[in-house]
Amino acid sequence: MKAPEILETCLYVDDLEAAERFYAEVLGLQFFAREEGRHVFFRCGSRMLLLFDPTATLPPGQDLPPHGTRGPGHLALGVPADSIPAWKSRLRERGVEIETEAEWPSGQSSIYFRDPAGNSIELAPPGIWGIAESDALGGARDQT
């Protein structure tokens, strides 16, 4: 049996409208669905990024198990190694402060910044984990 892969991941945000603008306009993710006051979903390559308001998903008695968290989460998004300088420029142009630039033993670098809810977002080439860009990113080069 093949090991499972990540299909979706989620972050929790306190302002769905601000989060939607950030992930669509700053990061260029493709909007998928929204339920006012509860969630907004984006396509992220061939996977899904779900943004939830934890006040709407924590109470029991819903169709799905309660879930949510408080405090900042972390999400790393894969980008081609040679696109990091362009991403730095794009983020700065949109008023997003780069919090940290990390250099990895692979010789590649990644950048960290915050979304409007304070979640730590990282843009990193898959090579920092020993994953070939062609295996991880597919058509992502066209979206930069």
Side-chain angles (χ1 to χ4, degrees):
M1 178 181 336
K2 185 178 185 278
E5 295 183 11
I6 293 175
L7 174 63
E8 62 187 39
T9 192
C10 65
L11 291 173
Y12 296 90
V13 300
D14 55 359
D15 183 336
L16 288 168
E17 289 179 15
E20 183 175 345
R21 281 191 307 276
F22 180 83
Y23 285 91
E25 296 172 12
V26 175
L27 295 181
L29 297 185
Q30 180 185 2
F31 171 83
F32 183 78
R34 166 191 318 106
E35 183 178 319
E36 293 300 327
R38 186 177 190 281
H39 66 251
V40 61
F41 297 164
F42 289 93
R43 287 208 182 279
C44 190
S46 62
R47 310 293 189 228
M48 297 298 294
L49 173 61
L50 314 178
L51 303 174
F52 288 106
D53 179 339
T55 61
T57 57
L58 273 172
Q62 301 178 46
D63 292 338
L64 301 173
H67 58 86
T69 187
R70 297 282 184 226
H74 171 69
L75 174 66
L77 299 171
V79 297
D82 62 1
S83 74
I84 295 290
W87 276 108
K88 288 174 18 179
S89 293
R90 179 183 175 108
L91 293 168
R92 287 186 180 119
E93 288 169 5
R94 288 164 173 78
V96 177
E97 179 184 346
I98 295 170
E99 188 173 34
T100 302
E101 296 184 38
E103 295 294 325
W104 300 103
S106 65
Q108 296 179 327
S109 61
S110 65
I111 54 177
Y112 291 80
F113 49 95
R114 300 282 171 169
D115 75 3
N119 291 302
S120 175
I121 309 301
E122 178 183 11
L123 296 180
I128 68 170
W129 291 108
I131 300 169
E133 284 186 10
S134 59
D135 292 339
L137 300 177
R141 283 192 174 276
D142 301 332
Q143 298 175 10
T144 327

